[in-house]
């Protein structure tokens, strides 16, 4: 049996994955394969480097730091973000705070050096394609996977430029199966549990359209799981539609409460199903 952790994208909502990870490790479930998208790539990279319960305090420290300052990733003052948006025409935040935070945590570690196999996904601009990073520097790959369109600049790796992996594969369940996983734990941030409403304002059209694109692939892959593959979609708690707005992506105030609520829900789920 090959156990995979699939960590989906979701910005600030990615904090709930920490609660799921705690519950999994406390149930003696450890991964042999980790797949991550966007913030799930960040969480997943730390897990692949330290695939034990000991990683949870490190993740908690990371998210608490974001909660206390609100500027771990989006580290600029409002006037500076406006100036950058005007100057670049493509993004409002610098990628430097995220990159530096990752280097503080991971250093120059490569995929090849990790004790657990890791892959993270990003969207290649030049090839208009899904791209899986599985070799080379981990930090570069995670920054590419987390390059949220409009918020962070496209990330350059080699001769290509990349945007957020959620554009092409928000919850990469099918990839885990393709790589030989027979038991999959899906760490998702709660969006797939919320029904979509018909948009009533111009800015809602884009959000709902992206949500449809983000969800439909996972739903299809879940329905098409081959015989012999055991899949557990862990429950997330404490999320709402407000979290999908621009301001919601920066609201770190409830991070710890969300982690705890999701931990309790995941613990109860695993008590029942394992």
């Amino acid at each position: 049996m090959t156990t995979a952790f699939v960590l989906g994208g979701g910005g600030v909502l990615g904090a709930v994955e920490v609660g799921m990870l705690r519950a999994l490790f406390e149930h003696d479930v450890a991964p042999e394969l980790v797949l991550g998208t966007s913030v799930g790539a960040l969480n997943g990279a730390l897990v692949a480097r330290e695939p034990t319960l000991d990683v949870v305090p490190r993740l908690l420290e990371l998210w608490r730091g974001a909660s206390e300052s609100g500027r771990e990733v989006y580290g600029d003052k409002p006037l500076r973000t406006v100036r950058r948006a005007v100057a670049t025409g493509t993004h409002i935040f610098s990628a430097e705070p995220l990159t530096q935070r990752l280097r503080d945590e991971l250093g120059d570690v490569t995929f090849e050096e990790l004790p657990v196999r890791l892959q993270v996904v990003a969207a290649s601009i030049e090839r208009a394609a899904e791209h899986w990073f599985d070799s080379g520097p981990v930090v570069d790959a995670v920054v590419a996977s987390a390059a949220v369109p409009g918020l962070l600049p496209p990330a350059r790796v080699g001769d290509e430029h990349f945007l957020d992996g959620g554009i092409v594969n928000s919850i990469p369940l099918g990839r885990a199966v393709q790589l030989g996983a027979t038991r999959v734990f899906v760490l998702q941030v709660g969006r797939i549990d919320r029904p979509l409403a018909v948009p009533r304002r111009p800015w809602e059209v884009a959000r709902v359209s992206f949500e449809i694109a983000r969800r439909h692939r996972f739903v299809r892959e879940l329905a098409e799981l081959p015989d012999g593959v055991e899949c557990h979609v862990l429950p997330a708690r404490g999320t709402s539609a407000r979290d999908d707005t621009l301001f919601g992506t920066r609201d770190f105030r409830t991070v710890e409460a969300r982690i705890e609520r999701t931990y309790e829900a995941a613990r109860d789920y695993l008590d029942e199903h394992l």
Side-chain angles (χ1 to χ4, degrees), residues 43-121:
N43 290 333
L46 269 68
V47 170
R49 184 192 60 177
E50 190 173 11
T52 71
L53 189 59
D54 291 338
V55 74
V56 172
R58 297 295 305 141
L59 284 164
L60 285 172
E61 181 181 343
L62 180 69
W63 283 98
R64 281 171 181 154
S67 177
E68 289 168 2
S69 69
R71 293 180 180 177
E72 287 285 328
V73 176
Y74 307 127
D76 292 333
K77 296 179 180 179
L79 181 58
R80 188 175 296 174
T81 65
V82 172
R83 289 174 177 166
R84 182 176 292 108
V86 172
T88 68
T90 60
H91 58 278
I92 60 177
F93 298 116
S94 168
E96 285 306 311
L98 172 62
T99 303
Q100 187 57 54
R101 193 68 181 90
L102 287 169
R103 294 206 187 283
D104 291 344
E105 289 291 333
L106 297 167
D108 297 323
V109 69
T110 65
F111 284 85
E112 294 85 350
E113 294 170 326
L114 296 171
V116 169
R117 187 180 184 189
L118 171 71
Q119 292 193 4
V120 303
V121 65

Side-chain angles (χ1 to χ4, degrees), residues 186-199:
V186 175
L187 288 73
Q188 52 86 32
V189 301
R191 285 195 177 107
I192 60 174
D193 300 327
R194 297 198 297 269
L196 292 175
V198 176

Side-chain angles (χ1 to χ4, degrees), residues 166-171 191-192 194-199 204-220 244:
I167 297 171
V168 288
N169 204 333
S170 186
I171 308 175
R191 285 195 177 107
I192 60 174
R194 297 198 297 269
L196 292 175
V198 176
E204 292 179 349
V205 174
R207 184 182 66 81
V208 171
S209 299
F210 185 61
E211 277 302 309
I212 293 171
R214 175 158 43 195
R215 297 181 192 188
H216 90 280
R217 179 172 181 172
F218 172 70
V219 172
R220 186 187 72 239
D244 300 328

